Amino acid sequence: MQELELLQNTPLFAGISAPELKELLSWLAPVRRRYHKGEIVLMAGYPAREIGVVVEGLVQGAKPTGDGRQLAVGQFGPGGVFGDVLASGRRESPVTLTALCDTQVLFVPIQAVCSPGGAVPPGHARLVQNLLRVISDKYFELDRRLDLLLLKNLRGRLCLFLMQEAAAAHSNTFCIPLNRAQLAEYLGCERSALCRELSRMQKDGLIETYRGSFKLLQPAALGAALPGCEPEPKEN
């Protein structure tokens, strides 16, 4: 896939024609930076003034915790967009972004997007609309994760997570981009506890799973495991 086509498929530049995107990129004057595996893209505590678009490679965000651990909060592959919320709010980054392999990132200055001044190219209005949509989507993704973490037991969190992923894939068979350690961090549990619960769910005939692939065998039973969805007790 050519880079221009890749950018057109990102949420930030979606809906902008190739000629308009070429003109827009020339006007925005984004900066391309290259990183080797393990290099820091953005350090926690430093301000973000640019929106990053991953052109090649993989970037992971991790939040430092009080006990010295790094809590993974997201990954961004080719076409992934990061820094949009931080740059728009002019706040210091609460997460550290690290390249997981050799990576190229295109950095778009937030000033050119939000406060351009003077005449702007035709694709600029769509760019601003896309930025607002990206920020909105991330708000709802955060709300989704809070719904998971508010559930008291791990079985409930797993059931809700798997049902959400199936709904997004429009299929009871799907893959997730998280390994077991990353999924455990996302669900707020230990990796060993996650593996035990997945094993129990397979033995109960609820799911089949191998690495990042899942198949929901009894979606209705998964839904019934969620709080408020338990079947009414039968009257004697």
Side-chain angles (χ1 to χ4, degrees):
M1 182 184 295
Q2 297 295 320
E3 183 170 308
L4 195 66
E5 184 181 353
L6 170 69
L7 293 176
Q8 284 182 291
N9 288 322
T10 67
L12 191 61
F13 296 111
I16 302 176
S17 68
E20 287 182 343
L21 183 53
K22 286 181 180 179
E23 183 180 356
L24 181 62
L25 289 173
S26 177
W27 182 83
L28 289 170
V31 176
R32 182 189 304 272
R33 299 191 182 104
R34 293 175 171 82
Y35 301 89
H36 294 299
K37 180 180 179 180
E39 280 195 273
I40 301 297
V41 178
L42 177 64
M43 179 71 74
Y46 284 79
R49 296 289 181 264
E50 301 163 312
I51 302 170
V53 182
V54 180
V55 175
E56 179 182 308
L58 188 64
V59 173
Q60 177 170 282
K63 182 176 177 61
T65 62
D67 58 5
R69 294 183 299 116
Q70 294 286 325
L71 179 64
V73 294
Q75 288 188 354
F76 307 93
V81 178
F82 63 84
D84 39 286
V85 177
L86 294 172
S88 301
R90 296 184 176 276
R91 302 289 296 273
E92 294 177 349
S93 175
V95 302
T96 293
L97 296 167
T98 306
L100 296 185
C101 58
D102 288 349
T103 298
Q104 291 187 40
V105 180
L106 208 60
F107 287 95
V108 179
I110 191 65
Q111 183 75 17
V113 179
C114 297
S115 305
V120 296
H124 185 268
R126 185 57 183 264
L127 173 64
V128 174
Q129 292 174 3
N130 288 345
L131 176 61
L132 293 175
R133 185 174 293 111
V134 168
I135 293 173
S136 174
D137 288 346
K138 289 186 176 179
Y139 166 81
F140 286 108
E141 171 57 29
L142 177 60
D143 184 65
R144 173 194 176 195
R145 189 175 184 190
L146 287 175
D147 285 341
L148 288 169
L149 296 178
L150 286 172
L151 296 176
K152 293 182 179 180
N153 64 75
L154 181 54
R155 172 68 67 97
R157 292 180 206 171
L158 265 171
C159 288
L160 180 57
F161 173 79
L162 294 174
M163 292 178 66
Q164 289 174 337
E165 291 297 312
H170 303 289
S171 172
N172 287 329
T173 301
F174 53 88
C175 293
I176 64 172
L178 306 175
N179 60 33
R180 292 293 187 259
Q182 292 164 341
L183 180 57
E185 289 182 347
Y186 187 82
L187 296 176
C189 67
E190 295 294 330
R191 183 182 183 278
S192 57
L194 171 67
C195 292
R196 284 195 300 270
E197 192 59 45
L198 287 173
S199 179
R200 292 190 189 106
M201 292 174 73
Q202 289 194 91
K203 289 179 180 177
D204 291 344
L206 298 174
I207 63 171
E208 289 180 356
T209 180
Y210 178 72
R211 294 186 176 178
S213 65
F214 288 86
K215 182 177 182 179
L216 308 189
L217 302 177
Q218 298 187 53
L222 294 177
L226 299 177
C229 299
E230 301 88 347
E232 293 289 335
K234 294 182 179 180
E235 296 183 1
N236 294 327

